[in-house]
Amino acid sequence: MRRGSNAGASSSKLDRNVIERNRRMHMKDLYSRLASILPAQSSKEKLALHVLLDQATGYIKQLQQKAEELRRRRDGLKGDGGQPENSPLRGSMRLPVVKLRDLGSALEVNLVIGPNQNFMIHQVIRILEQEGAEVVTTSCSIVGGTVFYTIYSQPLCPRIGIESSRAHERLKQLILT
């Protein structure tokens, strides 16, 4: 009878060993998968487990901070006329808005138009051309019904340049009418 009990004890010990080996293999696989999703390491050395867990914890905290920052920016864009929290126009922006920036050899025009305002971009381009500018690129973005235009232009004749102050006044008149 002792023999039978020894055989049973031996069998359960083997089962525990197999279970433990499978558990360790599973944990090793999980750690390997964790290491593979972390940002690239400077070296291909195998990291100690505690170092891997520290790096994963730090990375998760960075992602949480970035997600929170993006949430704040999104809420800022939704709540105040499309302006981020740190924008000088936040809270005080009245649409439409026209801003000109003289970049030396180029002129940047930024327009912000509300959702219910009639506006034709070809009128802006015509004014810029009449003031001696050639439109190089235009872009348009729509955020929550607010339309953002950016127009880059350069002088037709570099010696003469663009009369930016006059173009600005004409664009303001166009936008406000």
Side-chain angles (χ1 to χ4, degrees):
M1 198 135 180
R2 283 186 112 157
R3 233 186 243 186
S5 66
N6 281 343
S10 170
S11 172
S12 68
K13 185 176 181 180
L14 288 175
D15 289 343
R16 283 193 310 264
N17 287 344
V18 168
I19 291 170
E20 178 62 19
R21 186 178 325 116
N22 288 340
R23 184 194 69 80
R24 279 183 275 148
M25 287 173 46
H26 181 66
M27 292 301 290
K28 185 177 180 180
D29 180 54
L30 292 174
Y31 291 133
S32 175
R33 288 173 46 196
L34 177 62
S36 72
I37 61 173
L38 289 177
Q41 305 297 322
S42 58
S43 66
K44 295 290 183 181
E45 293 178 21
K46 195 170 186 178
L47 296 175
L49 181 58
H50 72 281
V51 173
L52 175 67
L53 293 174
D54 284 344
Q55 286 183 353
T57 303
Y59 184 59
I60 290 169
K61 287 178 182 177
Q62 285 178 342
L63 291 175
Q64 287 173 330
Q65 289 172 346
K66 189 173 184 177
E68 183 58 36
E69 178 187 335
L70 290 171
R71 269 189 225 100
R72 282 194 307 268
R73 285 178 56 195
R74 181 198 61 205
D75 293 344
L77 289 171
K78 283 182 180 177
D80 268 342
Q83 292 303 307
E85 287 184 37
N86 59 355
S87 171
L89 298 175
R90 182 180 169 89
S92 65
M93 186 167 92
R94 295 199 179 143
L95 300 178
V97 174
V98 60
K99 295 240 181 220
L100 262 74
R101 210 167 63 162
D102 194 345
L103 303 172
S105 63
L107 184 68
E108 178 185 78
V109 179
N110 294 297
L111 301 169
V112 183
I113 309 298
N116 298 324
Q117 295 171 323
N118 291 332
F119 178 74
M120 300 293 181
I121 192 71
H122 74 277
Q123 295 169 320
V124 172
I125 293 172
R126 184 180 313 133
I127 288 173
L128 290 171
E129 288 174 346
Q130 289 171 351
E131 295 303 324
E134 175 185 28
V135 173
V136 178
T137 62
T138 62
S139 66
C140 174
S141 299
I142 301 172
V143 177
T146 304
V147 183
F148 297 85
Y149 291 100
T150 303
I151 304 166
Y152 288 97
S153 58
Q154 61 188 21
L156 283 171
C157 181
R159 283 192 228 159
I160 297 173
I162 303 171
E163 183 56 49
S164 60
S165 60
R166 185 175 147 147
H168 188 251
E169 288 304 315
R170 288 185 64 195
L171 289 172
K172 279 176 37 180
Q173 288 176 353
L174 171 70
I175 300 298
L176 297 176
T177 57

